[in-house]
Amino acid sequence: MSEAFPRHVLCVLGSGLALSEMERIASGFGGFVLDREYSEAEPDPRMPGAFEASMAAASFDEADWAAVESHDTVGYLLSAPMMRELAFDTSRRLLAVTAALLRSGATAVKNESSGITHGRDRWLALADQAADLTDESVADVTDESVADVTDESVADVTDESVADVTDEGLAGALVAAWVKRPIYDGQVLYSCGMHLLGAPEVEIEVGAEPPAKDELPELVAHLDTLATYLLTDPRAEEIEDGAGFRMTEDAPRRLLRTGPCDRYDEDDLFFNPYGYVRLTQAR
């Protein structure tokens, strides 16, 4: 396995939002810093094209496009390079940062480390969903633990539990927020961004002909099911090449193929050091 460590690079556009304010907001969530070398208090004419290439069409409305066109500040926020066991929680916190920025004057956000953006409403909905699910999961863990701990350690239980939350709903919200999918390469549909959650990319074999538009929702659902499995099921850590896999108990059996990331160089922000897991037909 590669020794590269993924990191988030978040591009934040603002109109009348100072870079120092972006930095102040992000610093309140711990572990995120402003890249002063590339951040600029002036518009960047490349931004409309960059956002268009980041799947903006899926959730942008006219107000979102107008916000990109009228920005006067471009900030880049960086996470630290992430060890695998910290990636999920770092991504959860960065989604909260994104919402805080959008509610404080930021006008558009995209992730340079997976090539995905969302419209303002979509970002906020995903952030609120993740926050609610985190609160519920931590409350459940804390309630179950209170009988076994002293009063002084209840706060520690809550803090430590956040990083261990692997609720399927929370995993789904983070996949939706940070993972670009589906991308077609001539043979498979694949994702980009699972490395930001500490997991391999997910793929599904579809053949040389691009899937029809009406087939995509089901195929994306397969990708998301596999992604959630990788993030929440302990058995996923022991996947072997050629193992059988079913989406549901009565679904057709597929085979899982694993391999290293060979689409991107190790110094590329898209590079996934954990490789990929591909769904293939059982032959």
Side-chain angles (χ1 to χ4, degrees):
M1 183 181 295
S2 168
E3 296 182 358
F5 289 101
R7 78 184 310 174
H8 282 278
V9 178
L10 199 68
C11 174
V12 183
L13 305 189
S15 181
L17 178 64
L19 292 172
S20 59
E21 181 64 4
M22 287 188 194
E23 186 173 36
R24 185 194 67 78
I25 292 169
S27 66
F29 293 82
F32 306 107
V33 299
L34 184 73
D35 186 336
R36 295 188 174 278
E37 180 179 357
Y38 292 101
S39 299
E40 295 183 333
E42 59 183 54
D44 185 335
R46 300 172 298 175
M47 285 298 117
F51 273 77
E52 185 175 4
S54 300
M55 299 187 77
S59 61
F60 265 40
D61 58 23
E62 291 184 5
D64 294 313
W65 284 118
V68 173
E69 293 283 354
S70 63
H71 76 279
D72 59 21
T73 303
V74 182
Y76 291 94
L77 294 175
L78 310 176
S79 74
M82 299 179 293
M83 292 188 293
R84 189 170 191 172
E85 61 270 23
L86 300 179
F88 190 91
D89 187 57
T90 300
S91 294
R92 178 193 63 80
R93 289 187 291 109
L94 188 58
L95 186 53
V97 172
T98 301
L101 288 165
L102 288 168
R103 288 176 169 132
S104 301
T107 55
V109 177
K110 67 183 178 76
N111 195 308
E112 302 287 334
S113 301
S114 60
I116 194 169
T117 188
H118 305 287
R120 173 187 170 85
D121 290 346
R122 177 66 170 158
W123 275 125
L124 293 177
L126 289 169
D128 288 346
Q129 179 184 357
D132 290 344
L133 289 167
T134 300
D135 290 343
E136 291 173 6
S137 297
V138 172
D140 289 343
V141 172
T142 304
D143 289 345
E144 293 171 1
S145 305
V146 165
D148 300 322
V149 298
T150 63
D151 291 342
E152 290 82 1
S153 60
V154 171
D156 292 337
V157 170
T158 304
D159 292 341
E160 293 172 1
S161 298
V162 173
D164 297 329
V165 169
T166 53
D167 175 86
E168 289 187 2
L170 178 57
L174 296 184
V175 168
W178 300 126
V179 181
K180 186 176 184 178
R181 71 220 187 281
I183 309 167
Y184 179 61
D185 74 352
Q187 288 293 330
V188 303
L189 293 178
Y190 66 96
S191 68
C192 178
M194 289 291 290
H195 59 309
L196 303 174
L197 302 174
E201 299 301 337
V202 291
E203 305 184 354
I204 185 168
E205 190 177 64
V206 295
E209 293 295 324
K213 187 175 181 179
D214 61 355
E215 296 175 323
L216 283 176
E218 181 178 1
L219 292 169
V220 173
H222 289 342
L223 291 177
D224 288 354
T225 297
L226 179 56
T228 300
Y229 172 78
L230 295 178
L231 292 169
T232 62
D233 196 313
R235 293 173 297 177
E237 298 179 5
E238 302 174 359
I239 287 178
E240 296 183 358
D241 187 69
F245 186 82
R246 297 179 189 273
M247 295 296 174
T248 61
E249 290 185 1
D250 58 352
R253 182 174 180 269
R254 293 178 180 265
L255 297 182
L256 296 176
R257 296 298 181 187
T258 63
C261 179
D262 55 9
R263 290 193 172 91
Y264 312 107
D265 294 333
E266 284 198 17
D267 60 353
D268 194 304
L269 288 172
F270 292 174
F271 178 76
N272 191 325
Y274 318 118
Y276 68 83
V277 178
R278 179 182 301 169
L279 286 165
T280 65
Q281 298 291 338
R283 297 180 176 87

